[in-house]
Amino acid sequence: MTVGEKKPARVVVADDQTVVREGIVMLLGLLPGVEVVGAAGDGEEAVRLVAELSPDVVLMDLRMPRCDGVEATRRIRSQYPGTQVVVLTTFADDESLFPALRAGARGYLTKDAGGDEIVRAVESVLSGDAGLSPSIQRRLLERLSQPEPVPVATETPDGLTTRETEVLVLIAEGLTNQEIARKLHVSTATVKTHINNLFAKTGLKDRAQAVRYAYGKGLVRPPAN
């Protein structure tokens, strides 16, 4: 490397699909400014490689066995803050995007991103900026411009989580599962899981009981006359 020449970014690629992982490694090997120093098949291995290799950036898939990308990102950013994380995933849904960003990811690209876009994202996060694709930036701005979820009591009854309590309040307000999913920016399957969990914890049998329960616990107030 000549004097003044920029050092390439040292990158670890984490993806559980061998063909995809090897393809990304091969693509990055053809690009200037990037040096692939390791490849991981799941989140556990990604965290281990970061500990061993101290890369500048991890390109992180989200849906992986043993330890998913969100948890791996959280652990890497907590234990090895010198390593940045750029999520590189097939999924561009809000349910994947926002947990990854909250876990500490500084970049988020979908796998149809070109090599130049990946390099730009890597350079951006290393310079302290966010490496988000234009479509992801739009989704983030749309999310931030929407009202916050319904506030709930700080003391949740019967061991309900905050999110389960939010779902309960929205049920009491008459929202359908689809409407709750849109309001909370999650899938309807996730809403159903929360409902099943809160029913199990409270012993409720149906939505009518859930409405009475929410009013009885003071989570919602009757409308003013």
Side-chain angles (χ1 to χ4, degrees):
M1 186 169 59
T2 60
V3 175
E5 186 178 347
K6 192 175 179 181
K7 285 179 59 178
R10 302 175 70 255
V11 173
V12 164
V13 177
D15 196 298
D16 65 317
Q17 296 182 317
T18 303
V19 173
V20 174
R21 184 173 66 251
E22 291 179 349
I24 295 171
V25 169
M26 185 178 298
L27 171 64
L28 294 179
L30 301 174
L31 300 174
V34 175
E35 177 190 0
V36 178
V37 296
D42 58 49
E44 290 283 355
E45 190 176 4
V47 175
R48 180 179 61 79
L49 286 179
V50 169
E52 291 178 2
L53 303 172
S54 300
D56 299 308
V57 177
V58 177
L59 290 178
M60 183 77 73
D61 187 26
L62 289 182
R63 310 290 176 88
M64 296 186 292
R66 290 209 299 166
C67 172
D68 65 21
V70 172
E71 177 59 24
T73 297
R74 184 178 296 109
R75 288 164 59 182
I76 288 169
R77 295 297 297 140
S78 172
Q79 299 172 31
Y80 312 102
T83 297
Q84 300 292 339
V85 176
V86 173
V87 170
L88 188 61
T89 182
T90 305
F91 305 93
D93 56 289
D94 292 344
E95 195 173 353
S96 300
L97 168 60
F98 295 104
L101 294 178
R102 283 195 294 269
R106 293 284 298 167
Y108 196 109
L109 300 172
T110 52
K111 288 181 181 176
D112 58 0
D116 291 344
E117 192 173 357
I118 295 174
V119 172
R120 282 197 300 272
V122 168
E123 291 176 343
S124 292
V125 299
L126 290 180
S127 65
D129 297 327
L132 303 174
S133 68
S135 62
I136 297 300
Q137 289 186 43
R138 284 195 298 272
R139 295 174 77 91
L140 184 58
L141 290 172
E142 289 169 1
R143 171 69 176 266
L144 293 174
S145 67
Q146 292 175 347
E148 288 296 313
V150 177
V152 299
T154 54
E155 293 291 330
T156 56
D158 294 319
L160 297 181
T161 65
T162 300
R163 180 45 61 94
E164 288 164 358
T165 308
E166 287 176 342
V167 171
L168 176 61
V169 168
L170 295 174
I171 290 174
E173 292 183 349
L175 274 65
T176 65
N177 287 3
Q178 291 76 15
E179 290 169 334
I180 294 172
R182 285 195 296 270
K183 192 171 186 68
L184 299 181
H185 308 286
V186 299
S187 68
T188 53
T190 297
V191 172
K192 290 177 182 177
T193 298
H194 289 315
I195 292 174
N196 289 338
N197 290 340
L198 74 89
F199 276 18
K201 290 178 180 179
T202 58
L204 300 172
K205 302 299 182 185
D206 54 38
R207 295 174 86 94
Q209 289 186 1
V211 172
R212 291 195 296 272
Y213 177 89
Y215 278 104
K217 293 293 184 179
L219 298 175
V220 290
R221 294 192 180 101
N225 292 329

